[in-house]
Amino acid sequence: MAPPSGDNNVVVSSNLKLERLLSMKGGKDEASYANNSQAQAKHARSMLHLLKETLDGVELNLPDTPFTVADLGCSSGNNTIFIVNVIIEHITKRYEASGHSGVPEFSAFFADLPSNDFNTLFQLLPPLANQGLGSMEECLASTGHRSFFAAGVPGSFYRRLFPAKSIDVFYSAFSLHWLSQVPDSVLDKSSMAYNKGKIFIHGANKSAASAYRKQFQTDLAGFVKMRSREMKKGGSMFIALLGRTSEDPTDQGGAGLLFGTHFQDAWDDLVQEGLITSEKRDDFNIPVYAPSLQDFKEVVEANGSFSINKLEVFQGGSPLVVNQPDDAAEVGRALANSCRSVSGVLVDAHIGDKLGDELFLRVANRATNKAEEILEKLQFFHIVASLSLK
């Protein structure tokens, strides 16, 4: 669902409003997520050995019981299809090596918010292998086809999405740093946490950062609780999300450089040029929080349903898609497209698509002037977690 064009009265704060609006930019144009997620694909591939370690710990059921995978925060590009194939191929090899009499049928659920561009995702799915082949082994051997039944699941992963004890493997990458809402206190002028003059918490006051941290931990607690109910006994979960190496939550690392520098300055440009008011800028905050390992660990341990097999900070690299690093203008456009692919829907809902164009044009111009510095310093770190249901 696309946000209403030119709606200048939307304040994205409550979780219901955010849930209806938030999505990566759909379609296949220059600023779409599908065309700006190559870096995420590269980062996901660099973690495959960690994913396979998680899959090695999953309990295998009898082959007559379907094996079910769910990608939470699947978005609309090829990355989710690639990962589901990796998971199913690895589990298939485990079945074949274990001496089981066969291989189970596989189901994959692609879950994201209702505003996600599921249509683009479904168009990318290859056809199901010929059902007339009969056996799953023959389906798996059928090239150019998928070996799993597929379904889209619209809804917030901070609430229940699946029946109890129905999922063998949960996978979630580059999604859990998105909060269910901007903390109310951050937008409240009477609050100590009011994030005046800023659209992100990078470099913000400690009260604002504390509000974001509390919101993240509240959201993560809900996420873990729901998954503990939905996962089969012996199931596992692999999670990767933006993280930080600093203990200071006002230092958001790579996310801070993406949203808290040139993007922030471009909002200030719109204010100074009289295109929006300062109040309009201050009513917009990016609902992202890059946690520390401790932020994450505290929540999982407090829940008590999962064993932590692995929890580490993983250097992911740059989020930018740049073919010619020496071309400053391309670097500028890449930064603007990267910002727009993940935040453009919220921006357009807040100030309208025409002012959104003006905003990201200024992001590109500012980033062009700092291209060398951006390429050197813009690096993402991810928290990677492997969890098993106790």
Side-chain angles (χ1 to χ4, degrees):
M1 180 182 72
S5 175
D7 183 351
N8 292 328
N9 299 305
V10 177
V11 177
V12 180
S13 56
S14 75
N15 56 355
L16 290 178
K17 284 181 180 176
L18 188 59
E19 185 175 327
R20 287 197 299 267
L21 289 170
L22 179 60
S23 68
M24 304 301 98
K25 194 172 188 303
K28 298 177 182 177
D29 64 18
E30 183 183 0
S32 68
Y33 184 80
N35 283 327
N36 288 276
S37 55
Q38 294 95 322
Q40 288 90 328
K42 181 180 178 181
H43 300 171
R45 282 170 168 78
S46 71
M47 301 176 192
L48 287 182
H49 63 292
L50 301 175
L51 171 60
K52 291 176 181 179
E53 287 178 12
T54 300
L55 297 176
D56 285 338
V58 176
E59 185 176 308
L60 300 183
N61 302 308
L62 294 174
D64 59 356
T65 303
F67 192 97
T68 306
V69 178
D71 184 353
L72 306 177
C74 62
S75 195
S76 55
N78 278 306
N79 294 350
T80 182
I81 300 170
F82 171 79
I83 288 296
V84 166
N85 279 322
V86 167
I87 293 171
I88 289 174
E89 288 173 7
H90 191 81
I91 294 296
T92 298
K93 290 177 182 177
R94 282 194 59 208
Y95 268 98
E96 292 171 345
S98 66
H100 277 83
S101 57
V103 177
E105 291 188 322
F106 291 96
S107 292
F109 291 113
F110 298 92
D112 213 315
L113 294 175
S115 48
N116 183 57
D117 184 4
F118 284 103
N119 286 337
T120 293
L121 173 59
F122 294 154
Q123 289 166 8
L124 293 171
L125 276 173
L128 184 65
N130 184 5
Q131 294 93 324
L133 290 173
S135 73
M136 181 51 66
E137 288 90 338
E138 290 172 296
C139 288
L140 289 165
S142 178
T143 58
H145 293 74
R146 59 183 160 91
S147 57
F148 55 88
F149 297 93
V153 180
S156 170
F157 52 39
Y158 295 125
R159 296 197 293 273
R160 280 289 298 272
L161 291 171
F162 305 100
K165 298 179 175 61
S166 63
I167 307 296
D168 293 282
V169 173
F170 280 113
Y171 176 90
S172 181
F174 319 127
S175 298
L176 268 169
H177 47 262
W178 286 97
L179 305 177
S180 67
Q181 68 175 84
V182 175
D184 292 333
S185 59
V186 171
L187 300 173
D188 181 357
K189 293 180 180 179
S190 65
S191 169
M192 292 286 290
Y194 182 49
N195 201 21
K196 182 175 176 58
K198 293 187 174 295
I199 52 88
F200 191 47
I201 60 161
H202 187 70
N205 67 70
K206 290 185 178 180
S207 295
S210 179
Y212 263 74
R213 178 178 183 272
K214 181 179 179 181
Q215 185 67 54
F216 169 79
Q217 291 195 313
T218 298
D219 287 342
L220 182 61
F223 176 92
V224 173
K225 182 179 180 181
M226 298 305 108
R227 304 298 83 79
S228 70
R229 295 177 180 176
E230 297 165 348
M231 185 174 284
K232 293 179 185 177
K233 182 181 178 181
S236 292
M237 178 158 54
F238 182 86
I239 297 171
L241 70 157
L242 284 182
R244 67 177 196 273
T245 54
S246 170
E247 287 302 311
D248 179 4
T250 67
D251 179 0
Q252 286 285 291
L257 291 175
L258 185 65
F259 293 123
T261 53
H262 308 295
F263 189 52
Q264 170 73 58
D265 292 340
W267 281 90
D268 296 340
D269 289 342
L270 295 187
V271 173
Q272 291 164 9
E273 294 169 32
L275 296 175
I276 62 172
T277 64
S278 59
E279 290 79 10
K280 193 67 178 176
R281 174 199 59 202
D282 296 348
D283 278 343
F284 183 87
N285 270 248
I286 292 287
V288 165
Y289 179 79
S292 66
L293 281 177
Q294 189 62 27
D295 291 339
F296 189 97
K297 185 177 180 181
E298 286 174 3
V299 175
V300 177
E301 290 183 340
N303 173 271
S305 298
F306 290 92
S307 298
I308 300 176
N309 305 317
K310 187 180 291 289
L311 181 61
E312 62 183 52
V313 175
F314 190 90
Q315 184 167 358
S318 173
L320 302 186
V321 179
V322 178
N323 295 317
Q324 295 179 305
D326 293 335
D327 185 343
E330 183 184 351
V331 174
R333 288 193 302 272
L335 184 80
N337 286 337
S338 183
C339 281
R340 192 163 205 172
S341 71
V342 297
S343 70
V345 170
L346 297 181
V347 169
D348 290 352
H350 190 69
I351 60 175
D353 51 359
K354 290 183 179 179
L355 281 175
D357 290 342
E358 294 293 330
L359 175 75
F360 288 106
L361 178 62
R362 284 155 179 76
V363 173
N365 290 339
R366 283 185 166 276
T368 296
N369 294 328
K370 299 285 185 179
E372 187 175 344
E373 179 183 348
I374 289 170
L375 289 176
E376 178 186 350
K377 294 184 177 179
L378 184 54
Q379 299 289 317
F380 276 177
F381 287 87
H382 298 105
I383 287 179
V384 177
S386 173
L387 309 176
S388 295
L389 189 65
K390 291 181 179 177

